[in-house]
């Protein structure tokens, strides 16, 4: 099954055992992937379900439901202060591959970027593509950007961490336990968090953590955090 191409479909496209393909999906399957009528591919709804499907012109026939076990047993919410330029695209792509559940882009005191509404669509597309590529059962949720203070006030995790490069804080890999059901982790922008942001996070139940002795780029830190968490749940 591994060699079959995967495409994400919306649940409303399925009626009983038929998938109605959009024009873009038909183009992708026929023109880009060069599939023909009768060829098989995998359809995934991004919400945990995979099906083996057979192409039939503008639709596809579902042949069987597939079992997919590529998800981590922990729900990880990544709160990321938006980095400059297109750095967030990379964060979405890599952290989706690493198993993140949802990503909350946040505007912190030192965030330089004010994203356009089109950016959210783009990030969601990147998450869907990365989930297809990495054989995820779920496509991570990319939330609307909000102020960091609002995001931490609203968050209600029991295992919430805020990454800080300077200071003597416990390493994340010492704190993550593989029986934790849910983790929230926040990483800052190029200029780092302000003292007020750190104080607010601590008052909201976040624990300061280190990702090692070197200062990581704003794009690297979330990827390292996800790598450490996923490793704890996969070994
Ligand atoms: N300008 C900041 C400074 O000089 O301290 C560096 C900010 S760093 C480029 C961006 C973010 O990555 C930080 O706010 C933090 O969340 C995270 N980060 C980078 N290195 C880290 C480390 N070694 N441990 C924990 N977090 C780190």
């Amino acid at each position: 099954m591994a060699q079959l191409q995967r495409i994400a479909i919306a649940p409303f496209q399925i009626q009983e055992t038929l998938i109605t393909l959009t024009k873009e999906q038909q183009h992708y399957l026929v023109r880009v992937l060069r599939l023909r009528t009768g060829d098989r591919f995998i359809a995934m709804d991004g919400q945990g379900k995979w099906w083996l499907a057979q192409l039939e012109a503008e639709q596809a026939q579902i042949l069987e439901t597939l079992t997919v076990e590529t998800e981590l047993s922990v729900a990880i919410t990544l709160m990321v202060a938006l980095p400059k330029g297109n750095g967030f695209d990379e964060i979405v792509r890599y952290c989706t591959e690493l198993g993140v559940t949802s990503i909350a882009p946040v505007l912190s005191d030192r965030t330089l970027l004010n994203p356009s509404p089109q950016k959210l669509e783009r990030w969601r597309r990147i998450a869907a593509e990365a989930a297809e590529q990495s054989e995820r059962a779920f496509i991570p949720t990319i939330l609307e950007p909000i102020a960091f203070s609002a995001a931490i006030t609203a968050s209600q995790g029991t295992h919430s961490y805020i990454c800080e490069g300077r200071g003597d804080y416990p390493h994340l890999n010492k704190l993550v336990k593989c029986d934790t059901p849910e983790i929230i982790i926040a990483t800052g922008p190029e200029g780092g968090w302000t003292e007020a942001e750190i104080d607010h996070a601590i008052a909201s139940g976040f624990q300061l953590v280190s990702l090692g002795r070197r200062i990581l780029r704003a794009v690297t830190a979330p990827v390292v955090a996800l790598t450490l968490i996923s490793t704890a749940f996969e070994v």
Side-chain angles (χ1 to χ4, degrees), residues 4 21 33 57 72 90-91 103 141 176 181-182 185 191 206:
L4 291 183
L21 298 166
L33 299 181
L72 296 170
E90 289 171 52
I91 295 172
I103 306 181
T141 306
V176 175
E182 193 193 347
I185 186 141
F206 281 69

Side-chain angles (χ1 to χ4, degrees), residues 25-39:
Q25 288 164 343
Q26 289 170 38
H27 177 84
Y28 180 66
L29 289 167
V30 176
R31 302 263 169 234
V32 181
L33 299 181
R34 304 265 169 209
L35 297 194
R36 299 188 184 157
T37 297
D39 283 347

Side-chain angles (χ1 to χ4, degrees), residues 163-166 186-193 209-218 221:
C163 298
E164 172 56 43
R166 292 178 200 275
T187 60
E190 285 82 357
W193 301 114
V209 289
S210 167
L211 299 173
R213 296 200 194 123
R214 292 149 303 280
I215 299 295
L216 306 171
R217 286 171 59 227

Side-chain angles (χ1 to χ4, degrees), residues 176-189:
V176 175
K177 301 277 176 278
C178 61
D179 55 358
T180 311
E182 193 193 347
I183 289 175
I184 299 173
I185 186 141
T187 60

